[in-house]
């Protein structure tokens, strides 16, 4: 090389290139030698100003040095990029021998477990599931169930009114009247599981919101024996073959006679213990023979048709089945509570 300075630039560049150890460093080298203000680029622009005899040799030498530096940089840049990628892949390698993440499935709220189980038992006996609104009219919630205005039986339930004639249903019994209106005198065999609302103390055994399963059977020649047999079968399927039931006289405006139904205590088998308060029995539901007024008001001739009805508190059944000590636990969605029922589902 004739031009000493060009040789120096080439040597310095090749040294810097060989020393660059990252993509960033090699890019810096590129910028140093090829920026407009660099000495090499300055020499390039000098070519045009030289007399012809110097121009050729100098031009060739500058071009050669520029070409050598550029290809050395490209080669090193490629090598460094490959090395960095390999390093990154190594660092991000997935260790397939690590245990996987454990996505445990959740568990059904015991309320729903029991509601579904109760529903299945009645479906097995030939009942159909009926439905009704939770926002109900005074007419269906009270009047058509033989609970006229000012009837004292309203006092226990008169609760969440939306306007003078509309309220959150206080029981699932209005579905009785709704079904009778829909079936227009045809035989009926329905249950209705659903939410109900009424004023109550909110404590371990009471809640202003709870759920019931209503039952209604209407046909010719239905008698209280049918009610008893149905509920006995339900009690045995729900609480075990050994459970017996007993019917006690009671009062509901929409049934006559009315009964309250107890099952023998699962804890003591009927001998008497803390759980059954020494009686040997635990109350589980109310029921009775559909009152003739109710039949009449809802389009069924009480001389031809008779029927029975019942209402069961779902949470109450779940509490008895699982020994749950506080009704509010059903609604709080605390996973520590819910997970306890995992295996039973
Ligand atoms: N509706 C009643 C209540 O909420 C429960 C009930 C009792 C329903 C007797 C009935 C029945 O169908 O015949 O307390």
């Amino acid at each position: 090389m004739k031009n000493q300075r060009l040789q120096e630039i080439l040597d310095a560049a090749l040294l810097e290139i060989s020393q660059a150890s990252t993509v960033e460093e090699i890019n810096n080298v590129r910028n140093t030698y090829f920026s407009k203000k660099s000495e090499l680029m300055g020499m390039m622009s000098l070519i045009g100003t030289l007399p012809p005899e110097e121009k050729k040799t100098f031009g060739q030498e500058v071009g050669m040095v520029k070409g050598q530096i550029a290809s050395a940089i490209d080669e090193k840049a490629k090598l460094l990029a490959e090395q960095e990628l390999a390093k990154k892949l190594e660092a991000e390698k997935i260790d397939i021998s690590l245990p996987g993440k454990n996505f445990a499935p959740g568990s059904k709220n015991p309320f729903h477990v029991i509601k579904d189980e109760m529903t299945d038992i009645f479906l097995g006996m030939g009942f159909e599931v009926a439905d009704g609104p939770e926002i109900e009219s005074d007419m269906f919630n009270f009047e058509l169930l033989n609970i006229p205005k000012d009837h004292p039986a309203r006092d226990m339930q008169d609760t969440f009114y939306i306007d003078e004639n509309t309220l959150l249903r206080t029981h699932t019994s209005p579905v009785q009247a709704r079904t009778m209106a829909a079936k227009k005198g045809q035989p009926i065999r329905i249950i209705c599981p659903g939410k109900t609302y009424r004023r109550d103390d909110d404590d371990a055994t009471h809640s202003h919101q709870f759920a019931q399963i209503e039952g209604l059977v209407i046909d010719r020649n239905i008698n209280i024996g049918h009610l008893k047999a149905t509920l006995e079968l339900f009690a045995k399927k729900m609480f075990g073959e050994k459970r017996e039931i007993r019917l006690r006289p009671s009062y509901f405006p929409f049934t006559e006679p009315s009964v309250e139904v107890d099952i023998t205590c699962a804890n003591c088998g009927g001998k008497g213990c803390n759980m059954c308060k020494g009686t040997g029995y635990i109350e589980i539901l109310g029921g009775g023979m559909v009152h003739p007024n109710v039949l009449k008001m809802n389009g069924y001739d009480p001389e031809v048709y008779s029927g029975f009805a019942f209402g069961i508190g779902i949470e109450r059944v779940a509490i008895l089945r699982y020994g749950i000590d506080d009704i509010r636990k059903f609604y709080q969605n605390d996973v520590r509570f819910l997970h306890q029922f995992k295996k039973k589902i």
Side-chain angles (χ1 to χ4, degrees), residues 157 171 173 176 198 212 214 252 254-255 286-288 309-311:
Q157 303 198 355
H171 48 182
S173 302
Q176 291 191 28
R198 62 174 87 149
Q212 298 181 324
E214 191 77 15
F252 298 103
F254 34 91
T255 43
F310 55 86

Side-chain angles (χ1 to χ4, degrees), residues 136-204:
E136 190 52 282
S137 64
D138 183 280
M139 189 70 154
F140 280 111
N141 197 79
F142 294 124
E143 297 277 341
L144 291 172
L145 294 170
N146 205 28
I147 316 175
K149 297 229 172 357
D150 303 324
H151 191 289
R154 285 194 179 211
D155 291 353
M156 283 194 306
Q157 303 198 355
D158 250 1
T159 312
F160 298 116
Y161 277 88
I162 287 153
D163 61 41
E164 218 176 305
N165 287 310
T166 320
L167 75 165
L168 295 182
R169 68 178 175 197
T170 61
H171 48 182
T172 44
S173 302
V175 180
Q176 291 191 28
R178 286 186 172 273
T179 308
M180 285 188 252
K183 293 272 186 177
K184 296 194 172 65
Q186 296 303 305
I188 293 173
R189 198 175 345 170
I190 56 110
I191 55 159
C192 169
K195 283 189 202 145
T196 55
Y197 308 82
R198 62 174 87 149
R199 187 209 67 75
D200 229 328
D201 301 325
D202 277 345
D203 61 24

Side-chain angles (χ1 to χ4, degrees), residues 66-78:
K66 192 182 153 217
Q68 270 189 32
I69 297 176
S71 59
I73 288 176
D74 286 348
E75 210 175 293
K76 187 70 187 273
K78 196 172 157 232

